[in-house]
Amino acid sequence: FEIILPKEFCTSNIKKTLKKLHYVQIAKSTPMVVSLIENVDYGDNDNNKDFIIRLDQSLKDWMVPIISAFESTLEMTFLYSKTHKNALTQGYRFKHFCLYIDKQPISSITLSMQGNSARIDDVGTIPLYKKKGYATKLIKHALCEAKKLGLSYCFLEASDSGLSIYKKLGFCPLLKNNIYSKQS
């Protein structure tokens, strides 16, 4: 399990307690939000050979970029996708998208919705295709979908490496988090 705490809550007493419980800080993150009400165009006029498909019925292709992007295993990602499938059958509002190049899934994303808000998760790209704009294209697609559904806001949790990309797309930081994980 990981513990995510707002940075301002990480007092010396909290840090000491976490250390006693064998938790160490492993990362930082930044929750962010973008307004979908504003007249922002996320459209993509780039008509090249890549394409995006919604994959809610079979998440097999959606798993491929997730496995390598998050250095996961097939078994763990399969269990994760099974959790998503169960949520879909129970009526939770999820959309899973995959961007393909030459019929191969290279980037994935999840858009979850509740009330008038959306959340982007599971943004993953196969390492060979990173830093080429594919994840950005997929994020723009998810934001267009959320906007078409009449949602007002979209949230996400950004790693330090993704901050500049999300800021370019109009996301604003809400606060800073510290992420702790238990040492083995």
Side-chain angles (χ1 to χ4, degrees):
F1 292 99
E2 292 180 348
I3 298 173
I4 302 172
L5 293 173
K7 189 176 179 180
E8 61 267 14
F9 290 1
C10 296
T11 63
S12 59
N13 286 339
I14 295 292
K15 289 178 182 179
K16 286 177 189 175
T17 301
L18 289 170
K19 189 173 182 176
K20 284 180 187 176
L21 296 170
H22 305 288
Y23 279 87
V24 295
Q25 185 175 346
I26 58 164
K28 295 179 182 180
S29 67
T30 304
M32 302 181 85
V33 64
V34 67
S35 172
L36 300 171
I37 299 168
E38 296 171 12
N39 200 8
V40 179
D41 181 20
Y42 293 109
D44 190 0
N45 297 325
D46 185 15
N47 294 322
N48 56 22
K49 63 183 177 179
D50 51 282
F51 59 98
I52 298 170
I53 293 181
R54 181 173 169 194
L55 302 166
D56 292 337
Q57 300 307 312
S58 171
L59 298 180
K60 183 180 169 188
D61 282 358
W62 171 82
M63 289 173 39
V64 173
I66 301 294
I67 292 168
S68 62
F70 296 104
E71 298 176 359
S72 187
T73 64
L74 180 60
E75 295 79 18
M76 287 187 71
T77 308
F78 177 75
L79 289 173
Y80 186 57
S81 74
K82 193 173 178 181
T83 302
H84 278 243
K85 286 179 191 177
N86 288 339
L88 285 166
T89 60
Q90 293 176 24
Y92 287 90
R93 295 170 55 203
F94 284 115
K95 291 187 179 198
H96 300 83
F97 300 99
C98 207
L99 185 139
Y100 292 79
I101 293 183
D102 298 327
K103 300 181 183 178
Q104 298 300 312
I106 60 108
S107 192
S108 298
I109 194 169
T110 302
L111 180 69
S112 55
M113 297 147 287
Q114 185 172 0
N116 72 339
S117 298
R119 179 177 166 96
I120 289 176
D121 285 299
D122 310 320
V123 180
T125 302
I126 291 175
L128 179 65
Y129 294 94
K130 285 187 174 190
K131 301 200 184 289
K132 297 184 181 187
Y134 297 119
T136 301
K137 187 174 205 163
L138 206 48
I139 293 164
K140 286 180 177 181
H141 182 81
L143 292 170
C144 281
E145 288 291 315
K147 194 168 180 165
K148 284 180 200 173
L149 292 169
L151 302 178
S152 301
Y153 300 96
C154 187
F155 297 86
L156 57 76
E157 186 95 12
S159 63
D160 286 346
S161 63
L163 276 176
S164 64
I165 295 165
Y166 297 125
K167 284 181 179 178
K168 286 179 188 174
L169 293 171
F171 282 87
C172 298
L174 297 170
L175 53 104
K176 295 277 188 186
N177 286 331
N178 290 341
I179 303 172
Y180 297 86
S181 184
K182 195 158 189 155
Q183 288 180 314
S184 333

